[in-house]
Amino acid sequence: MSRSSRLPGFYKLDIEARQHLLAELADLSPADLQALAGGLNVGDADVLVENAVGLYALPLAIAPNFILDDQDLLMPLVIEEPSVVAAMAHAAKIVRMGGGFTTGSTRPVMIGQIQLLDVPYPDAAIIRINALKAELLAKLKHLHPTIRKLGGGPLDLQVRKLPHTPAGPMLIVHLLMDTRDAMGANAINTAAETLAPELEAITQGRVLLRILSNLSDQRRAWATCRIPVGALETPELPGEAVARGIFEANAFALADPYRAATHNKGIFNGIDAVALATGQDWRAIEAGGHAYAARDGQYRALTDWRVEDNHLLGRLEMPLAVGTVGGLTKYHPTARLALKLLGHPDARQLSQIMVAAGLAQNLAALRALVTEGIQRGHMALHAKRLEMRRNS
Ligand code: NAD
């Protein structure tokens, strides 16, 4: 967006006034505004899943104040949990004081797995697969012309040995493929299925599974921020103490899986909310994030926070298999609207936006936990709801 994402007093407006302001800021059409009120219809639901009987709605909100890579951005969030939107808006305001988030991402490379059993000579099979790699990848040439035309497509084959499983030894072939702006499940599954008979012939083994891995660790996004400690002060605590507390709280979650689960859940409060708003497969994103958090054998915090030169430095890096084409983005008018609000990002840009949302949410949660505790804000909102119910 060309205008500032700072929207002081946005939270005080009624919904209609917020919609009006949003329409002005993001150049929304009357049809766009309709998507805010509805979204899917029952006919769409019937196309999407089996045995559909209706629809299920959730709130869509906007977190203002974000700057990402020097661009102002309004963050669309679909979430039912109170406090998350306000907390994110507040964290984005704090990060803004340090210039906003800096983000990046890898090429959008997905992994497909082909499971080979009963391979008589595994080491020889690995040598043969590696020797025939170019020919095997060439077998996929006719698939996914759109993805290829856009610069994506199959990139590599990697073989892993699993010598000790309850079903005996197996070989696992990873197919690496750049799926461009698609999440890529369909493209990668088709490619894995195409390669399976070739791999059986080469290895004299038996193929069982041919399916993508949700641990999409070749497709990662990261966000960093650098906040002057003064921006963290509260009426009770100086900024240095809050920054130190955030570092210590993060250290707890790096060392202890019981804490890490809650810490990472907070990160997903941000990431899932953008994922839902933009029509992503949030189960795939969750699976990838949690598996990545345990990549060294222990489940840990996904974030890194440290204090340097009077600044609090934060970083979040994780797999984010997201798409801006295909999947639900094709059918859901509100998801399309959310993508429009974000300036029609490509898949890499969307993953960078989502990881910044995750880092913002983590900052908000840690800041609250090391200062006033999480309950004060929660309970204030809870009281507001009770009041509303009493008055209705
Ligand atoms: P898709 O197959 O609906 O769309 C992808 C296609 O869009 C590409 O093959 C290409 O033909 C076309 N396309 C047009 N413009 C493109 C561009 N710029 N970049 C890339 N492709 C472009 O989508 P998908 O991403 O393969 O499927 C995602 C869905 O698969 C998700 O809804 C997910 O829930 C589901 N899924 C997930 C899993 C899993 O995570 N384990 C397994 C199976 C299915």
Side-chain angles (χ1 to χ4, degrees):
M1 60 189 291
S2 52
R3 288 170 58 181
S4 170
S5 63
R6 279 282 296 126
L7 304 178
F10 189 65
Y11 71 100
K12 290 187 196 149
L13 303 175
D14 62 29
I15 286 204
E16 225 172 87
R18 284 190 207 123
Q19 289 180 342
H20 189 74
L21 181 57
L22 194 62
E24 203 180 291
L25 286 170
D27 201 16
L28 302 186
S29 66
D32 290 334
L33 283 172
Q34 275 218 320
L36 284 179
L40 281 183
N41 61 47
V42 179
D44 297 326
D46 209 19
V47 174
L48 280 168
V49 300
E50 310 75 34
N51 299 354
V53 293
L55 296 168
Y56 183 114
L58 286 171
L60 167 66
I62 296 289
N65 304 334
F66 274 87
I67 295 183
L68 247 86
D69 305 311
D70 300 323
Q71 299 272 322
D72 276 71
L73 184 140
L74 297 173
M75 196 68 85
L77 304 169
V78 167
I79 188 144
E80 86 299 347
E81 187 176 336
S83 306
V84 170
V85 179
M88 254 170 97
H90 189 61
K93 196 163 117 191
I94 291 173
V95 174
R96 199 181 177 90
M97 292 188 223
F101 294 92
T102 303
T103 68
S105 57
T106 62
R107 204 173 161 178
V109 177
M110 295 295 283
I111 299 170
Q113 295 194 295
I114 301 145
Q115 178 193 20
L116 283 156
L117 298 133
D118 307 329
V119 176
Y121 306 104
D123 291 321
I126 294 173
I127 292 169
R128 271 180 71 73
I129 293 170
N130 282 327
L132 294 170
K133 198 183 276 188
E135 283 164 51
L136 285 163
L137 292 174
K139 303 268 180 209
L140 304 174
K141 241 188 194 147
H142 64 288
L143 299 176
H144 318 305
T146 310
I147 288 178
R148 272 180 181 280
K149 224 173 6 190
L150 293 166
L155 296 173
D156 199 8
L157 291 175
Q158 296 171 351
V159 195
R160 297 171 51 230
K161 267 206 282 194
L162 295 182
H164 309 293
T165 83
M170 43 187 92
L171 283 187
I172 309 299
V173 179
H174 280 193
L175 164 64
L176 272 55
M177 184 166 155
D178 178 335
T179 62
R180 298 281 92 189
D181 298 317
M183 183 269 190
N186 291 315
I188 203 100
N189 291 344
T190 311
E193 287 182 9
T194 306
L195 274 186
E198 309 288 337
L199 288 168
E200 277 188 335
I202 290 172
T203 62
Q204 296 163 27
R206 170 172 65 90
V207 165
L208 192 58
L209 302 193
R210 299 145 294 164
I211 181 81
L212 93 163
S213 167
N214 284 114
L215 175 50
S216 49
D217 59 2
Q218 306 300 304
R219 189 179 193 172
R220 300 183 312 280
W222 52 88
T224 63
C225 60
R226 188 169 187 274
I227 306 163
V229 293
L232 296 161
E233 76 177 8
T234 69
E236 293 85 25
L237 280 174
E240 291 81 8
V242 180
R244 172 89 196 157
I246 290 174
F247 163 70
E248 289 167 341
N250 195 72
F252 177 14
L254 283 168
D256 177 20
Y258 286 91
R259 174 58 207 151
T262 324
H263 180 100
N264 290 342
K265 188 273 181 185
I267 292 172
F268 280 108
N269 275 345
I271 289 182
D272 285 353
V274 185
L276 278 162
T278 57
Q280 306 302 313
D281 181 339
W282 70 94
R283 290 86 54 206
I285 292 169
E286 288 260 358
H290 291 299
Y292 190 70
R295 64 193 176 284
D296 72 359
Q298 186 186 314
Y299 186 84
R300 299 181 190 282
L302 285 160
T303 44
D304 180 45
W305 289 100
R306 58 189 66 188
V307 186
E308 265 175 38
D309 301 332
N310 240 14
H311 284 76
L312 175 69
L313 273 52
R315 180 181 175 86
L316 170 60
E317 175 166 347
M318 57 183 283
L320 274 164
V322 302
T324 51
V325 298
L328 193 58
T329 62
K330 223 170 9 188
Y331 297 96
H332 206 299
T334 322
R336 284 204 296 272
L337 173 65
L339 290 168
K340 178 173 178 175
L341 287 174
L342 291 171
H344 299 292
D346 63 20
R348 282 181 68 174
Q349 288 165 334
L350 179 60
S351 69
Q352 293 168 212
I353 290 168
M354 286 169 65
V355 78
L359 188 59
Q361 188 53 42
N362 182 244
L363 171 64
L366 292 185
R367 184 175 171 277
L369 283 168
V370 304
T371 55
E372 64 190 18
I374 213 92
Q375 281 310 91
R376 197 157 99 186
H378 255 307
M379 292 325 285
L381 269 167
H382 188 61
K384 190 175 131 191
R385 282 196 189 167
L386 283 178
E387 173 82 14
M388 267 170 57
R389 224 172 282 157
R390 239 177 270 129
N391 294 339
S392 62

Short mmCIF file of all heavy atoms in Angstrom, two decimals, residues 244-292:
data_model
loop_
_atom_site.label_atom_id
_atom_site.label_comp_id
_atom_site.label_asym_id
_atom_site.label_seq_id
_atom_site.Cartn_x
_atom_site.Cartn_y
_atom_site.Cartn_z
N ARG A 244 15.84 -8.03 28.15
CA ARG A 244 16.56 -9.12 28.82
C ARG A 244 15.56 -10.26 29.15
O ARG A 244 15.84 -11.43 28.95
CB ARG A 244 17.22 -8.58 30.10
CG ARG A 244 17.83 -9.60 31.01
CD ARG A 244 19.27 -9.86 30.65
NE ARG A 244 19.73 -11.11 31.28
CZ ARG A 244 20.74 -11.85 30.84
NH1 ARG A 244 21.41 -11.48 29.78
NH2 ARG A 244 21.08 -12.95 31.46
N GLY A 245 14.39 -9.87 29.61
CA GLY A 245 13.35 -10.86 29.94
C GLY A 245 12.94 -11.65 28.70
O GLY A 245 12.75 -12.87 28.76
N ILE A 246 12.83 -10.98 27.57
CA ILE A 246 12.43 -11.68 26.32
C ILE A 246 13.53 -12.67 25.91
O ILE A 246 13.24 -13.81 25.52
CB ILE A 246 12.12 -10.64 25.21
CG1 ILE A 246 10.82 -9.91 25.56
CG2 ILE A 246 12.04 -11.29 23.84
CD1 ILE A 246 10.45 -8.76 24.65
N PHE A 247 14.79 -12.25 26.06
CA PHE A 247 15.91 -13.15 25.77
C PHE A 247 15.85 -14.39 26.68
O PHE A 247 16.00 -15.53 26.24
CB PHE A 247 17.23 -12.39 25.95
CG PHE A 247 18.44 -13.25 26.09
CD1 PHE A 247 18.91 -13.98 25.00
CD2 PHE A 247 19.11 -13.36 27.31
CE1 PHE A 247 20.03 -14.80 25.13
CE2 PHE A 247 20.22 -14.17 27.45
CZ PHE A 247 20.67 -14.89 26.35
N GLU A 248 15.58 -14.15 27.98
CA GLU A 248 15.56 -15.26 28.95
C GLU A 248 14.35 -16.17 28.71
O GLU A 248 14.45 -17.40 28.85
CB GLU A 248 15.53 -14.69 30.38
CG GLU A 248 16.85 -14.07 30.77
CD GLU A 248 16.78 -13.22 32.04
OE1 GLU A 248 15.66 -12.80 32.44
OE2 GLU A 248 17.84 -12.96 32.63
N ALA A 249 13.23 -15.58 28.35
CA ALA A 249 12.03 -16.39 28.08
C ALA A 249 12.25 -17.26 26.84
O ALA A 249 11.85 -18.43 26.80
CB ALA A 249 10.83 -15.47 27.88
N ASN A 250 12.92 -16.69 25.84
CA ASN A 250 13.20 -17.45 24.62
C ASN A 250 14.17 -18.60 24.93
O ASN A 250 14.03 -19.71 24.40
CB ASN A 250 13.77 -16.53 23.54
CG ASN A 250 13.74 -17.17 22.17
OD1 ASN A 250 12.67 -17.31 21.58
ND2 ASN A 250 14.88 -17.58 21.67
N ALA A 251 15.15 -18.31 25.80
CA ALA A 251 16.12 -19.34 26.18
C ALA A 251 15.41 -20.54 26.82
O ALA A 251 15.74 -21.70 26.56
CB ALA A 251 17.16 -18.75 27.12
N PHE A 252 14.42 -20.25 27.66
CA PHE A 252 13.60 -21.28 28.32
C PHE A 252 12.97 -22.17 27.22
O PHE A 252 13.03 -23.41 27.27
CB PHE A 252 12.55 -20.54 29.16
CG PHE A 252 11.53 -21.36 29.89
CD1 PHE A 252 11.66 -22.74 30.07
CD2 PHE A 252 10.40 -20.73 30.45
CE1 PHE A 252 10.70 -23.48 30.76
CE2 PHE A 252 9.44 -21.45 31.14
CZ PHE A 252 9.59 -22.82 31.29
N ALA A 253 12.40 -21.53 26.20
CA ALA A 253 11.70 -22.29 25.15
C ALA A 253 12.67 -23.00 24.20
O ALA A 253 12.28 -23.97 23.54
CB ALA A 253 10.78 -21.36 24.37
N LEU A 254 13.91 -22.53 24.14
CA LEU A 254 14.90 -23.26 23.33
C LEU A 254 15.33 -24.54 24.04
O LEU A 254 15.66 -25.54 23.40
CB LEU A 254 16.14 -22.38 23.08
CG LEU A 254 15.97 -21.29 22.02
CD1 LEU A 254 17.14 -20.30 22.05
CD2 LEU A 254 15.85 -21.91 20.62
N ALA A 255 15.28 -24.51 25.39
CA ALA A 255 15.81 -25.63 26.15
C ALA A 255 14.74 -26.63 26.60
O ALA A 255 15.07 -27.77 26.94
CB ALA A 255 16.55 -25.10 27.39
N ASP A 256 13.47 -26.23 26.62
CA ASP A 256 12.43 -27.07 27.24
C ASP A 256 11.22 -27.27 26.31
O ASP A 256 10.53 -26.30 25.98
CB ASP A 256 11.97 -26.36 28.53
CG ASP A 256 10.84 -27.12 29.22
OD1 ASP A 256 10.67 -28.33 28.94
OD2 ASP A 256 10.11 -26.50 30.03
N PRO A 257 10.97 -28.51 25.89
CA PRO A 257 9.85 -28.76 24.96
C PRO A 257 8.49 -28.38 25.55
O PRO A 257 7.59 -27.98 24.79
CB PRO A 257 9.89 -30.27 24.72
CG PRO A 257 11.17 -30.75 25.25
CD PRO A 257 11.73 -29.73 26.18
N TYR A 258 8.33 -28.48 26.89
CA TYR A 258 7.03 -28.11 27.48
C TYR A 258 6.75 -26.62 27.25
O TYR A 258 5.63 -26.22 26.97
CB TYR A 258 7.02 -28.40 28.99
CG TYR A 258 6.92 -29.88 29.29
CD1 TYR A 258 8.06 -30.65 29.44
CD2 TYR A 258 5.68 -30.49 29.37
CE1 TYR A 258 7.98 -32.01 29.68
CE2 TYR A 258 5.58 -31.85 29.62
CZ TYR A 258 6.73 -32.61 29.77
OH TYR A 258 6.63 -33.94 30.00
N ARG A 259 7.79 -25.81 27.40
CA ARG A 259 7.63 -24.38 27.16
C ARG A 259 7.58 -24.11 25.64
O ARG A 259 6.81 -23.28 25.17
CB ARG A 259 8.77 -23.61 27.84
CG ARG A 259 8.81 -22.14 27.55
CD ARG A 259 7.53 -21.39 27.95
NE ARG A 259 7.38 -20.21 27.11
CZ ARG A 259 6.23 -19.66 26.77
NH1 ARG A 259 5.09 -20.16 27.20
NH2 ARG A 259 6.19 -18.62 26.00
N ALA A 260 8.42 -24.84 24.87
CA ALA A 260 8.52 -24.59 23.43
C ALA A 260 7.16 -24.80 22.74
O ALA A 260 6.81 -24.06 21.82
CB ALA A 260 9.57 -25.51 22.81
N ALA A 261 6.40 -25.80 23.21
CA ALA A 261 5.09 -26.06 22.58
C ALA A 261 4.19 -24.83 22.70
O ALA A 261 3.52 -24.43 21.74
CB ALA A 261 4.43 -27.27 23.23
N THR A 262 4.20 -24.20 23.87
CA THR A 262 3.34 -23.03 24.10
C THR A 262 3.89 -21.82 23.35
O THR A 262 3.14 -21.03 22.76
CB THR A 262 3.28 -22.72 25.61
OG1 THR A 262 3.28 -23.95 26.32
CG2 THR A 262 2.04 -21.92 25.95
N HIS A 263 5.20 -21.70 23.38
CA HIS A 263 5.89 -20.60 22.69
C HIS A 263 5.57 -20.65 21.19
O HIS A 263 5.15 -19.65 20.60
CB HIS A 263 7.39 -20.79 22.94
CG HIS A 263 8.30 -19.80 22.32
ND1 HIS A 263 8.85 -18.75 23.03
CD2 HIS A 263 8.80 -19.69 21.07
CE1 HIS A 263 9.63 -18.04 22.23
NE2 HIS A 263 9.62 -18.59 21.04
N ASN A 264 5.70 -21.84 20.60
CA ASN A 264 5.45 -21.97 19.16
C ASN A 264 3.95 -21.85 18.85
O ASN A 264 3.57 -21.37 17.78
CB ASN A 264 6.00 -23.30 18.63
CG ASN A 264 7.52 -23.30 18.63
OD1 ASN A 264 8.15 -22.24 18.70
ND2 ASN A 264 8.12 -24.48 18.55
N LYS A 265 3.12 -22.28 19.78
CA LYS A 265 1.67 -22.09 19.58
C LYS A 265 1.37 -20.60 19.39
O LYS A 265 0.57 -20.21 18.54
CB LYS A 265 0.89 -22.67 20.76
CG LYS A 265 -0.63 -22.70 20.58
CD LYS A 265 -1.34 -21.43 20.97
CE LYS A 265 -2.85 -21.54 20.77
NZ LYS A 265 -3.55 -20.27 21.05
N GLY A 266 2.03 -19.77 20.17
CA GLY A 266 1.83 -18.33 20.04
C GLY A 266 2.26 -17.84 18.66
O GLY A 266 1.60 -17.00 18.05
N ILE A 267 3.36 -18.37 18.16
CA ILE A 267 3.82 -18.01 16.81
C ILE A 267 2.74 -18.37 15.80
O ILE A 267 2.40 -17.60 14.90
CB ILE A 267 5.14 -18.74 16.48
CG1 ILE A 267 6.27 -18.21 17.37
CG2 ILE A 267 5.49 -18.62 15.00
CD1 ILE A 267 7.57 -18.99 17.27
N PHE A 268 2.15 -19.56 15.97
CA PHE A 268 1.11 -20.00 15.03
C PHE A 268 -0.20 -19.21 15.20
O PHE A 268 -1.02 -19.20 14.28
CB PHE A 268 0.88 -21.51 15.15
CG PHE A 268 1.93 -22.29 14.42
CD1 PHE A 268 2.90 -22.99 15.10
CD2 PHE A 268 1.97 -22.29 13.04
CE1 PHE A 268 3.89 -23.68 14.43
CE2 PHE A 268 2.95 -22.97 12.35
CZ PHE A 268 3.92 -23.67 13.04
N ASN A 269 -0.39 -18.55 16.35
CA ASN A 269 -1.54 -17.64 16.45
C ASN A 269 -1.46 -16.62 15.32
O ASN A 269 -2.47 -16.26 14.71
CB ASN A 269 -1.53 -16.89 17.78
CG ASN A 269 -2.17 -17.69 18.89
OD1 ASN A 269 -2.86 -18.67 18.65
ND2 ASN A 269 -1.95 -17.26 20.12
N GLY A 270 -0.25 -16.13 15.05
CA GLY A 270 -0.08 -15.16 13.97
C GLY A 270 -0.11 -15.82 12.61
O GLY A 270 -0.84 -15.40 11.70
N ILE A 271 0.66 -16.87 12.45
CA ILE A 271 0.82 -17.50 11.13
C ILE A 271 -0.49 -18.13 10.66
O ILE A 271 -0.91 -17.94 9.51
CB ILE A 271 1.96 -18.53 11.18
CG1 ILE A 271 3.27 -17.75 11.30
CG2 ILE A 271 1.94 -19.45 9.96
CD1 ILE A 271 4.51 -18.58 11.32
N ASP A 272 -1.16 -18.86 11.54
CA ASP A 272 -2.41 -19.51 11.13
C ASP A 272 -3.48 -18.49 10.78
O ASP A 272 -4.31 -18.72 9.89
CB ASP A 272 -2.95 -20.41 12.26
CG ASP A 272 -2.16 -21.70 12.39
OD1 ASP A 272 -1.31 -21.96 11.54
OD2 ASP A 272 -2.42 -22.45 13.35
N ALA A 273 -3.47 -17.35 11.49
CA ALA A 273 -4.51 -16.34 11.22
C ALA A 273 -4.35 -15.78 9.81
O ALA A 273 -5.34 -15.57 9.10
CB ALA A 273 -4.43 -15.23 12.26
N VAL A 274 -3.10 -15.57 9.37
CA VAL A 274 -2.90 -15.10 7.99
C VAL A 274 -3.16 -16.25 7.02
O VAL A 274 -3.71 -16.06 5.93
CB VAL A 274 -1.46 -14.54 7.79
CG1 VAL A 274 -1.30 -13.95 6.40
CG2 VAL A 274 -1.13 -13.50 8.84
N ALA A 275 -2.79 -17.46 7.43
CA ALA A 275 -3.01 -18.64 6.57
C ALA A 275 -4.50 -18.82 6.30
O ALA A 275 -4.92 -19.05 5.16
CB ALA A 275 -2.43 -19.89 7.23
N LEU A 276 -5.31 -18.71 7.36
CA LEU A 276 -6.76 -18.85 7.18
C LEU A 276 -7.31 -17.72 6.32
O LEU A 276 -8.12 -17.95 5.42
CB LEU A 276 -7.45 -18.85 8.54
CG LEU A 276 -7.44 -20.19 9.27
CD1 LEU A 276 -7.73 -20.01 10.75
CD2 LEU A 276 -8.47 -21.12 8.65
N ALA A 277 -6.86 -16.50 6.59
CA ALA A 277 -7.38 -15.34 5.83
C ALA A 277 -7.08 -15.50 4.35
O ALA A 277 -7.88 -15.09 3.50
CB ALA A 277 -6.77 -14.05 6.37
N THR A 278 -5.93 -16.08 4.01
CA THR A 278 -5.51 -16.14 2.60
C THR A 278 -5.76 -17.51 1.97
O THR A 278 -5.27 -17.79 0.88
CB THR A 278 -4.02 -15.76 2.47
OG1 THR A 278 -3.24 -16.64 3.29
CG2 THR A 278 -3.76 -14.32 2.88
N GLY A 279 -6.50 -18.37 2.65
CA GLY A 279 -6.93 -19.64 2.04
C GLY A 279 -5.86 -20.70 1.96
O GLY A 279 -5.83 -21.50 1.02
N GLN A 280 -4.97 -20.75 2.95
CA GLN A 280 -3.88 -21.74 2.92
C GLN A 280 -4.27 -23.03 3.64
O GLN A 280 -5.19 -23.05 4.44
CB GLN A 280 -2.63 -21.16 3.61
CG GLN A 280 -2.18 -19.83 3.06
CD GLN A 280 -1.89 -19.90 1.57
OE1 GLN A 280 -1.20 -20.82 1.12
NE2 GLN A 280 -2.40 -18.97 0.81
N ASP A 281 -3.50 -24.08 3.36
CA ASP A 281 -3.64 -25.34 4.09
C ASP A 281 -2.86 -25.19 5.40
O ASP A 281 -1.65 -25.40 5.44
CB ASP A 281 -3.09 -26.50 3.25
CG ASP A 281 -3.23 -27.84 3.94
OD1 ASP A 281 -3.37 -27.87 5.18
OD2 ASP A 281 -3.18 -28.86 3.24
N TRP A 282 -3.56 -24.79 6.47
CA TRP A 282 -2.85 -24.48 7.71
C TRP A 282 -2.37 -25.74 8.40
O TRP A 282 -1.42 -25.71 9.17
CB TRP A 282 -3.70 -23.59 8.62
CG TRP A 282 -4.90 -24.26 9.22
CD1 TRP A 282 -4.97 -24.87 10.42
CD2 TRP A 282 -6.21 -24.38 8.62
NE1 TRP A 282 -6.24 -25.37 10.62
CE2 TRP A 282 -7.01 -25.07 9.55
CE3 TRP A 282 -6.74 -23.96 7.43
CZ2 TRP A 282 -8.35 -25.37 9.27
CZ3 TRP A 282 -8.07 -24.25 7.17
CH2 TRP A 282 -8.86 -24.94 8.08
N ARG A 283 -2.98 -26.89 8.12
CA ARG A 283 -2.46 -28.13 8.74
C ARG A 283 -1.08 -28.44 8.18
O ARG A 283 -0.17 -28.86 8.90
CB ARG A 283 -3.38 -29.33 8.47
CG ARG A 283 -4.72 -29.32 9.20
CD ARG A 283 -5.77 -28.56 8.46
NE ARG A 283 -5.94 -29.03 7.09
CZ ARG A 283 -6.40 -28.28 6.10
NH1 ARG A 283 -6.72 -27.02 6.31
NH2 ARG A 283 -6.52 -28.75 4.88
N ALA A 284 -0.91 -28.21 6.88
CA ALA A 284 0.40 -28.45 6.25
C ALA A 284 1.44 -27.50 6.85
O ALA A 284 2.58 -27.91 7.14
CB ALA A 284 0.29 -28.22 4.74
N ILE A 285 1.05 -26.26 7.07
CA ILE A 285 1.98 -25.27 7.62
C ILE A 285 2.35 -25.63 9.05
O ILE A 285 3.53 -25.59 9.45
CB ILE A 285 1.34 -23.87 7.54
CG1 ILE A 285 1.21 -23.45 6.07
CG2 ILE A 285 2.14 -22.85 8.33
CD1 ILE A 285 0.37 -22.21 5.85
N GLU A 286 1.35 -26.03 9.83
CA GLU A 286 1.60 -26.43 11.23
C GLU A 286 2.52 -27.65 11.28
O GLU A 286 3.48 -27.69 12.05
CB GLU A 286 0.27 -26.81 11.91
CG GLU A 286 -0.63 -25.65 12.22
CD GLU A 286 -0.53 -25.22 13.68
OE1 GLU A 286 0.20 -25.85 14.45
OE2 GLU A 286 -1.19 -24.22 14.02
N ALA A 287 2.22 -28.65 10.45
CA ALA A 287 3.02 -29.88 10.46
C ALA A 287 4.47 -29.55 10.13
O ALA A 287 5.40 -30.02 10.81
CB ALA A 287 2.45 -30.89 9.45
N GLY A 288 4.67 -28.73 9.11
CA GLY A 288 6.03 -28.36 8.70
C GLY A 288 6.74 -27.59 9.80
O GLY A 288 7.92 -27.86 10.09
N GLY A 289 6.04 -26.65 10.42
CA GLY A 289 6.67 -25.82 11.45
C GLY A 289 7.06 -26.64 12.67
O GLY A 289 8.18 -26.52 13.19
N HIS A 290 6.17 -27.51 13.12
CA HIS A 290 6.47 -28.29 14.32
C HIS A 290 7.58 -29.31 14.05
O HIS A 290 8.46 -29.53 14.89
CB HIS A 290 5.21 -28.96 14.86
CG HIS A 290 4.22 -27.99 15.43
ND1 HIS A 290 4.50 -27.17 16.49
CD2 HIS A 290 2.96 -27.67 15.05
CE1 HIS A 290 3.45 -26.40 16.76
NE2 HIS A 290 2.50 -26.68 15.88
N ALA A 291 7.54 -29.94 12.87
CA ALA A 291 8.61 -30.91 12.55
C ALA A 291 9.96 -30.19 12.47
O ALA A 291 10.98 -30.71 12.95
CB ALA A 291 8.30 -31.62 11.23
N TYR A 292 9.95 -28.99 11.90
CA TYR A 292 11.19 -28.22 11.79
C TYR A 292 11.71 -27.83 13.18
O TYR A 292 12.92 -27.81 13.43
CB TYR A 292 10.93 -26.97 10.94
CG TYR A 292 12.16 -26.21 10.55
CD1 TYR A 292 13.08 -26.73 9.63
CD2 TYR A 292 12.43 -24.94 11.08
CE1 TYR A 292 14.20 -26.02 9.25
CE2 TYR A 292 13.55 -24.23 10.71
CZ TYR A 292 14.44 -24.77 9.80
OH TYR A 292 15.56 -24.06 9.44
#
